[in-house]
Amino acid sequence: MNNRVILPGQTIGIIGGGQLGKMMAQSAQKMGYRVHVYDPSEAACAFNVAHQSMVGSFSDRDQLVRFAQSVDVLTYEFENVNSQLLQELDQQSYFPQGSQFLSITQNRLKEKDWLNDCQITTVGYRSVKSIADIEKAIDQLGCPLVIKTNRFGYDGKGQIVLKDASSLRDNQADLQSLLEDQTCIAEAYCDFDYEASIMISRNPKGQIEAFPVSINQHRHGILYASLVTNQVPALVEDKIKGFAQRIAEQAQLVGVLGIEFFVTKDQEVLVNELAPRPHNSGHYSIESCNVSQYDQHILAITGRDLIPVRLLQPSLMINILGQHMEDLSKAMAAFPQAIFHLYGKSPAKVQRKMGHFTLGAKSSQELFQLIQTSHFLADWKEKI
């Protein structure tokens, strides 16, 4: 792989102007880079911190080519961009991440096949194109069974849980609607003990650095909180980091990758999903590590050496959604020691990610005490 070094003063182009692009741009700017951002929305929050912005569709080839030609290195914060178009952009600009791994992670079936080829454990799954295929999947994988669209699903969208065989009849109209739109994947339900994730980074020279493992809680498909302490058993942490390193190497990763896991009661570790970019569950790294996931991503795509990661403090990251905004002042009063990040998005729709805050403590015990004595967090969680 061509290891071109992009120096401060040169321009980084970010496709996607959401909160991940905004925090990416902020990291790049503090390192002395110029930042251009491309997004379909004139109100994209990353435009507020960009040196230059361009409005255009993610499928507009000519506009994207013009954008690519205006920068020294290209990256993305939003992976649902046509991978073939990104492959073409690679000819117009320096795009060290490439499009091959992106095309795999854009499709849940291809992603599961690729992981299994890499000897990475996942839940059982089947490709489904019809109701008859779902019936066969129920026979083979049992229930509960999760039906997901292969593409464009996130935050719980594009998926239906079949709790038992009778649920197929009850959800048949919704399932048919999903199947008419695209091929789906049926995944065996994992009765996990907890969910975990890790951010791992790799530069074009092959240097790899992993962030600490976080324990995550989701509500209705949306991340509620990520906890980073010393509570993950060493055996589980070793399995997670081993899988992450293998994935980064096999993918020839450049940049940061978020990997979500299921951890079962018998300490088995299964990979759930891959996100080839900074990830919501890695937000804690801004305050709680010596280098953030965004800093590491910028270092990787610009061909510079990565920084060995150290956890500075145990922490809890909490998402701020649209329905939480009316209670924002109460949250700030409840946690005066927390660092709040507001993305500058409008309007504040229900379930829309508007920001996050991070609670840090001197020790895991101190952090747990803060969490356990706070009724506010329970009320906040119930609003998701």
Side-chain angles (χ1 to χ4, degrees), residues 87-375:
Q87 188 174 13
E88 185 176 350
L89 294 180
D90 196 15
Q91 309 303 314
Q92 311 292 335
S93 177
Y94 179 47
F95 180 41
Q97 289 166 275
S99 59
Q100 185 174 357
F101 186 51
L102 173 67
S103 70
I104 292 170
T105 61
Q106 285 179 332
N107 183 296
R108 286 190 169 104
L109 184 61
K110 288 173 65 175
E111 181 176 281
K112 288 283 194 299
D113 286 344
W114 183 86
L115 286 167
N116 286 184
D117 287 344
C118 295
Q119 306 301 307
I120 303 291
T121 310
T122 67
V123 296
Y125 63 96
R126 298 289 186 274
S127 174
V128 291
K129 299 180 181 179
S130 65
I131 297 297
D133 286 342
I134 296 176
E135 291 173 340
K136 291 179 184 176
I138 290 173
D139 289 340
Q140 294 169 345
L141 301 174
C143 283
L145 189 69
V146 186
I147 310 300
K148 300 179 181 179
T149 55
N150 267 334
R151 292 173 58 85
F152 307 123
Y154 65 96
D155 287 345
K157 297 179 176 66
Q159 58 182 268
I160 296 171
V161 178
L162 303 180
K163 296 180 180 179
D164 50 43
S166 65
S167 297
L168 178 58
R169 181 184 62 253
D170 297 339
N171 289 277
Q172 188 156 342
D174 291 336
L175 289 167
Q176 194 62 52
S177 178
L178 287 184
L179 292 165
E180 287 173 359
D181 181 58
Q182 58 177 291
T183 299
C184 293
I185 184 171
E187 296 182 0
Y189 180 79
C190 180
D191 185 20
F192 55 83
D193 189 28
Y194 57 92
E195 296 173 278
S197 65
I198 193 171
M199 306 305 304
I200 193 160
S201 54
R202 181 180 179 276
N203 66 11
K205 294 185 290 187
Q207 181 188 2
I208 293 175
E209 292 292 339
F211 285 83
V213 176
S214 67
I215 295 175
N216 305 321
Q217 288 189 35
H218 287 80
R219 294 275 290 176
H220 306 297
I222 294 179
L223 183 69
Y224 159 66
S226 291
L227 177 69
V228 184
T229 65
N230 58 2
Q231 300 301 300
V232 178
L235 177 64
V236 171
E237 185 173 10
D238 288 345
K239 287 180 181 179
I240 286 174
K241 289 187 174 180
F243 276 166
Q245 175 141 349
R246 189 185 308 170
I247 290 168
E249 290 172 345
Q250 291 293 320
Q252 292 292 286
L253 175 71
V254 174
V256 163
L257 169 72
I259 310 174
E260 294 183 322
F261 299 85
F262 295 133
V263 181
T264 66
K265 292 179 176 62
D266 60 2
Q267 309 296 285
E268 185 182 4
V269 173
L270 301 90
V271 171
N272 179 30
E273 288 185 352
L274 307 178
R277 49 157 174 80
H279 190 262
N280 196 172
S281 65
H283 288 339
Y284 74 88
S285 62
I286 299 173
E287 282 80 37
S288 297
C289 294
N290 60 313
V291 58
S292 78
Q293 61 169 339
Y294 302 99
D295 298 335
Q296 206 79 299
H297 183 77
I298 296 301
L299 292 172
I301 65 166
T302 56
R304 295 168 59 183
D305 289 341
L306 303 181
I307 297 173
V309 180
R310 288 182 290 110
L311 182 66
L312 303 179
Q313 60 177 357
S315 63
L316 177 72
M317 187 284 301
I318 304 285
N319 264 329
I320 301 171
L321 304 181
Q323 63 267 35
H324 294 138
M325 293 299 286
E326 63 183 5
D327 293 328
L328 189 60
S329 60
K330 295 178 183 177
M332 290 178 171
F335 304 112
Q337 71 276 58
I339 303 297
F340 283 76
H341 294 256
L342 299 176
Y343 305 145
K345 295 160 83 172
S346 182
K349 298 178 183 177
V350 172
Q351 302 296 80
R352 189 182 191 190
K353 293 172 183 171
M354 303 300 292
H356 71 270
F357 64 93
T358 302
L359 286 167
K362 294 178 182 178
S363 66
S364 297
Q365 291 73 21
E366 183 180 308
L367 181 62
F368 288 136
Q369 184 176 11
L370 179 63
I371 295 168
Q372 290 166 359
T373 57
S374 172
H375 299 295

Side-chain angles (χ1 to χ4, degrees), residues 34-92:
R34 291 186 57 80
V35 178
H36 293 184
V37 176
Y38 182 100
D39 194 88
S41 172
E42 292 183 357
C45 63
F47 285 174
N48 296 328
V49 297
H51 292 94
Q52 187 171 309
S53 57
M54 182 180 290
V55 177
S57 167
F58 288 133
S59 59
D60 188 332
R61 176 198 173 278
D62 293 339
Q63 189 81 320
L64 276 167
V65 166
R66 281 194 290 274
F67 178 76
Q69 290 174 337
S70 73
V71 303
D72 295 298
V73 62
L74 195 65
T75 187
Y76 55 84
E77 64 106 47
F78 176 79
E79 67 264 38
N80 286 330
V81 183
N82 187 298
S83 59
Q84 291 182 331
L85 182 52
L86 282 178
Q87 188 174 13
E88 185 176 350
L89 294 180
D90 196 15
Q91 309 303 314
Q92 311 292 335

